Amino acid sequence: MDPTTDNGPTGEPRDSRASLEALRAEISKAVVGQDPAVTGLVVALLCRGHVLLEGVPGVAKTLLVRALSASLELDTKRVQFTPDLMPSDITGSLVYDARTTEFSFQPGPVFTNLLLADEINRTPPKTQSSLLEAMEERQVTVDGTPRPLPEPFLVAATQNPVEYEGTYPLPEAQLDRFLLKLTVPLPSREDEIDVLTRHAQGFNPRDLRAAGVRPVAGPADLEAARAAVAKTSISPEITAYVVDLCRATRDSPSLTLGVSPRGATALLSTARAWAWLTGRDYVIPDDVKALALPTLRHRIQLRPEAEMEGVTADSVINAILAHVPVPR
């Protein structure tokens, strides 16, 4: 079925789905071989969620978010998180104006549509926590006054999983604010050859416009797509399947912390968005399975003895997916 023609299964124009597909294609002009991460970012946009990108240095985490912002007609700001960063450097602060003898609010970089929080785990918990209200309530309170953030609003944060010196691991409460945790792996041999070939031909990651990346979607496209996703139906059997998966994490002997009801809600939302992206107006078990790892891997906590035995969050979730009965 061609997503750019005809009407969708729910009767909405195909334009909204076509614009999101075009967004994925536009990002691929700058980023090679990271299709799952690209799709995850699009799903987060559809679900009004935030994304944590984890990968070793040099796998294009920052470039991925910059390509996303270049493909969208949205305001974008980038913050390099460092140990000396203060909460007011993110949220903004009251500034005294000598001419008017009054204090006025100076908005921080969080007042944007797409915030790139680069190396978020390099700043202390006090500064990390400045994003909690923004990510959950879409507002910032300064001097007792709540100030709403622009719509849409998405935080795309990056972190390095192998370098721990000078870092501050994100607490569970903050991790739970991220809709998805996407791993950005090293590219395959063929993809790495493609990357080097592009660089040899003059590709400059600091000049995405020269690479041909152009805005192909905007707020209106996102709103139309989100409205279409909201019409995607979910059967009681699928809802029960999501609940059974999440409850199984709470009973796992390898975990000290299982998935909360917020995590179950997140999995239902991401599966719904994925179903719509693939051209259906209903969710099937495969949609839930496809989004289970990125939606749940950061919402569980391994026991120390399980970690010592080489157990990972992904392996626990995969085992649960294999064990919990799939609805027919």
Side-chain angles (χ1 to χ4, degrees):
M1 184 182 294
D2 184 359
T4 62
T5 60
D6 195 43
N7 280 340
T10 53
E12 85 278 357
R14 288 286 186 180
D15 295 348
S16 56
R17 187 180 290 112
S19 66
L20 272 295
E21 288 294 336
L23 179 63
R24 295 165 69 185
E26 202 69 14
I27 295 172
S28 68
K29 292 180 180 179
V31 181
V32 177
Q34 301 293 355
D35 291 342
V38 172
T39 299
L41 285 169
V42 173
V43 167
L45 282 169
L46 290 172
C47 297
R48 293 182 169 87
H50 310 289
V51 175
L52 179 62
L53 293 163
E54 186 175 88
V56 298
V59 291
K61 299 186 298 296
T62 303
L63 178 61
L64 182 59
V65 180
R66 288 182 54 243
L68 173 67
S69 68
S71 305
L72 286 167
E73 294 177 328
L74 299 177
D75 183 49
T76 306
K77 290 186 174 66
R78 176 181 181 273
V79 177
Q80 182 67 50
F81 280 71
T82 56
D84 61 345
L85 205 66
M86 298 297 291
S88 59
D89 295 328
I90 307 298
T91 61
S93 58
L94 295 176
V95 178
Y96 180 72
D97 189 336
R99 291 174 299 178
T100 62
T101 67
E102 294 180 350
F103 285 92
S104 61
F105 178 66
Q106 184 66 38
V110 75
F111 285 86
T112 187
N113 297 124
L114 176 59
L115 177 66
L116 170 55
D118 220 350
E119 296 189 288
I120 191 172
N121 58 334
R122 287 202 170 278
T123 200
K126 180 179 180 180
T127 304
Q128 290 177 6
S129 65
S130 67
L131 282 174
L132 286 174
E133 182 187 15
M135 294 172 69
E136 183 63 24
E137 300 177 35
R138 315 276 167 163
Q139 67 177 27
V140 169
T141 302
V142 177
D143 196 35
T145 303
R147 305 172 193 274
L149 294 171
E151 179 61 34
F153 173 68
L154 181 145
V155 174
T158 71
Q159 70 174 11
N160 178 357
V162 296
E163 187 178 354
Y164 296 107
E165 186 175 348
T167 64
Y168 304 84
L170 296 177
E172 284 72 23
Q174 181 137 15
L175 283 171
D176 203 40
R177 296 301 197 279
F178 288 99
L179 179 73
L180 300 172
K181 180 181 178 182
L182 304 173
T183 57
V184 185
L186 290 165
S188 66
R189 181 176 182 273
E190 291 73 18
D191 287 336
E192 195 164 1
I193 289 173
D194 192 358
V195 170
L196 267 62
T197 301
R198 291 188 183 195
H199 279 265
Q201 293 172 348
F203 172 73
N204 183 358
R206 288 172 289 278
D207 188 1
L208 296 180
R209 183 169 291 275
V213 181
R214 299 287 186 274
V216 294
D221 300 300
L222 280 179
E223 200 55 42
R226 288 168 174 177
V229 169
K231 298 176 184 177
T232 304
S233 64
I234 304 169
S235 69
E237 292 78 13
I238 293 294
T239 302
Y241 180 52
V242 170
V243 169
D244 290 342
L245 288 173
C246 294
R247 291 181 68 86
T249 65
R250 302 167 201 165
D251 298 329
S252 172
S254 299
L255 303 178
T256 58
L257 179 68
V259 177
S260 69
R262 190 202 324 237
T265 302
L267 180 55
L268 204 63
S269 297
T270 56
R272 197 182 213 180
W274 176 242
W276 179 81
L277 273 175
T278 53
R280 278 180 282 102
D281 65 340
Y282 56 91
V283 179
I284 62 174
D286 283 349
D287 300 324
V288 177
K289 291 181 178 181
L291 273 299
L293 285 178
T295 308
L296 304 181
R297 60 163 59 107
H298 57 297
R299 304 175 193 272
I300 60 178
Q301 193 172 74
L302 291 167
R303 293 186 182 276
E305 55 269 30
E307 283 190 276
M308 292 177 63
E309 294 172 1
V311 177
T312 65
D314 284 12
S315 65
V316 171
I317 295 171
N318 281 326
I320 288 171
L321 287 171
H323 174 74
V324 173
V326 179
R328 300 294 179 185

